[in-house]
C-alpha cells in the first residue's frame, strides 16, 4: 500500500516542487525542439544521500520513479518512501553478495553490467522471487572508471540473458556517456538502442541523461533521465 509520509518543511517542499517543475519544463521544451512528444521521456529522481522526507516532497510534486545507488541506503530508506517498491529502481553497481538484500525492495535493476551478475540474479529469483525487469548497462565510452558491457558485446550479452535468464526481462539499456562537448557518445548510444530494440516489443527504455546533460540525452532518444542535483540541490 502506498504510504503518505511527506513531512518536509513547507518552504523546502515548495523549493523541491519548483525544481521538479523547472526540470519538467526544460524536458518538455527540449522534446518539442526535437520533434518528440514530451510524454516519451520519464523523469527519475536520484535519491543518493537524500533524506526520505525530501524524497517524499518530490513524490508529492509528481515524481513517480526513484533511483537508488546503494543497497544499504535503499534498505534503510525504502519503507519510508511514499511509494511502492515497484517505483524504486536500483541504478548503482550491484555486488552479487547484496542481491538477496535488495530483492523485493525495488522494481528494476538498471545497472546489470555483466553476465555474472545476470546469472546471479536469475539464481536468486529461482528461489521464489517474481520476475525482475532489468536494463543492461553499457560503457559506451570504454571508460576504465565505469562498469558495463562494451557496445560490441551488448547484443551478444542480451541474447545470452534472454536465453538463460527467463526471470530477468530486459527492458532496455542504461548508460552514462562521457562528459564531452561532442555528441558522438549519445549518438552511438542511440544507434545501439535502436539496433537492439528491433523485433523486441518490450525493449523500450533508454535510460540516459543526468542533471548536467539531460537535454542532450533527450535529443538523442533518451526515454528516461536520472536527475539528482537539479531536483534536490548539491549533495552535502
Amino acid at each position: 500500500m502506498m504510504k503518505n509520509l511527506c513531512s518536509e518543511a513547507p518552504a523546502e517542499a515548495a523549493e523541491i516542487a519548483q525544481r521538479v517543475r523547472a526540470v519538467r519544463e526544460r524536458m518538455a521544451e527540449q522534446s518539442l525542439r526535437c520533434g518528440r512528444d514530451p510524454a516519451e521521456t520519464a523523469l527519475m529522481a536520484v535519491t543518493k544521500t537524500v533524506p526520505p522526507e525530501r524524497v517524499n516532497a518530490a513524490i508529492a510534486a509528481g515524481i513517480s520513479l526513484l533511483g537508488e545507488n546503494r543497497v544499504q541506503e535503499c534498505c534503510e530508506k525504502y519503507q519510508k518512501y511514499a511509494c511502492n517498491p515497484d517505483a524504486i529502481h536500483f541504478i548503482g553497481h550491484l555486488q552479487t553478495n547484496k542481491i538477496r538484500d535488495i530483492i523485493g525492495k525495488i522494481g528494476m535493476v538498471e545497472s546489470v553490467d555483466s553476465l555474472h551478475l545476470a546469472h546471479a540474479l536469475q539464481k536468486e529469483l529461482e528461489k521464489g522471487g517474481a520476475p525482475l525487469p532489468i536494463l543492461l548497462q553499457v560503457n559506451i565510452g570504454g571508460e576504465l572508471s565505469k562498469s558495463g558491457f562494451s557496445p560490441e558485446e551488448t547484443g551478444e550479452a542480451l541474447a545470452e540473458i534472454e536465453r538463460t535468464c527467463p526471470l530477468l526481462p530486459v527492458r532496455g539499456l542504461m548508460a552514462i556517456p562521457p562528459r564531452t562537448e561532442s555528441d558522438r557518445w549519445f549518438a552511438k548510444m542511440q544507434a545501439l538502442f535502436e539496433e537492439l530494440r528491433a523485433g523486441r516489443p518490450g525493449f523500450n527504455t533508454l535510460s540516459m541523461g543526468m542533471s548536467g546533460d539531460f537535454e542532450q540525452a533527450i535529443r538523442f532518444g533518451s526515454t528516461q533521465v536520472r536527475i539528482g542535483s537539479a531536483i534536490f540541490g548539491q549533495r552535502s
Side-chain angles (χ1 to χ4, degrees):
M1 180 180 294
M2 186 172 294
K3 302 173 283 294
N4 182 12
L5 299 173
C6 183
S7 58
E8 183 69 350
E12 291 186 85
E15 180 182 359
I16 289 171
Q18 192 280 327
R19 286 173 174 267
V20 170
R21 286 193 298 272
V23 170
R24 288 198 185 279
E25 288 171 2
R26 290 172 60 188
M27 290 174 63
E29 290 170 1
Q30 178 69 340
S31 295
L32 294 173
R33 280 196 294 267
C34 301
R36 296 184 62 192
D37 182 348
E40 291 178 0
T41 308
L43 173 58
M44 169 185 283
V46 177
T47 56
K48 181 179 178 181
T49 76
V50 181
E53 295 78 16
R54 290 177 61 79
V55 175
N56 287 337
I59 293 171
I63 291 292
S64 58
L65 278 178
L66 306 179
E68 284 285 344
N69 290 80
R70 298 169 177 167
V71 172
Q72 182 176 345
E73 184 177 355
C74 180
C75 292
E76 292 171 352
K77 293 162 58 178
Y78 83 102
Q79 288 185 313
K80 300 175 183 178
Y81 289 156
C83 67
N84 294 320
D86 283 349
I88 305 171
H89 291 192
F90 191 78
I91 62 174
H93 178 65
L94 179 58
Q95 297 174 306
T96 56
N97 64 349
K98 299 291 186 181
I99 290 174
R100 186 178 302 176
D101 297 333
I102 205 74
I103 296 296
K105 301 175 178 67
I106 57 170
M108 177 182 283
V109 177
E110 295 199 3
S111 49
V112 173
D113 56 6
S114 68
L115 289 175
H116 176 66
L117 176 58
H119 291 150
L121 281 164
Q122 171 68 25
K123 185 176 180 179
E124 183 63 33
L125 292 170
E126 286 173 353
K127 298 176 182 178
L132 179 65
I134 64 170
L135 303 182
L136 303 188
Q137 182 172 346
V138 181
N139 187 352
I140 192 65
E143 297 173 279
L144 295 178
S145 61
K146 294 175 183 174
S147 59
F149 297 98
S150 71
E152 295 75 20
E153 68 185 357
T154 302
E156 186 175 333
L158 172 58
E160 169 72 8
I161 292 170
E162 289 175 329
R163 183 178 68 84
T164 63
C165 302
L167 295 176
L168 298 179
V170 185
R171 299 304 187 208
L173 305 177
M174 183 270 266
I176 307 172
R179 288 292 185 89
T180 68
E181 295 182 2
S182 170
D183 291 332
R184 63 175 294 199
W185 302 116
F186 287 91
K188 189 172 183 178
M189 196 66 214
Q190 182 182 32
L192 178 63
F193 174 66
E194 294 298 339
E195 174 189 345
L196 295 179
R197 79 184 301 188
R200 293 183 168 98
F203 194 92
N204 53 24
T205 300
L206 176 57
S207 179
M208 179 173 72
M210 300 186 291
S211 291
D213 59 12
F214 68 87
E215 287 157 314
Q216 189 178 15
I218 289 171
R219 184 152 52 92
F220 287 93
S222 175
T223 68
Q224 178 183 286
V225 296
R226 309 181 304 273
I227 308 298
S229 60
I231 291 175
F232 298 113
Q234 296 299 321
R235 296 188 186 98
S236 58

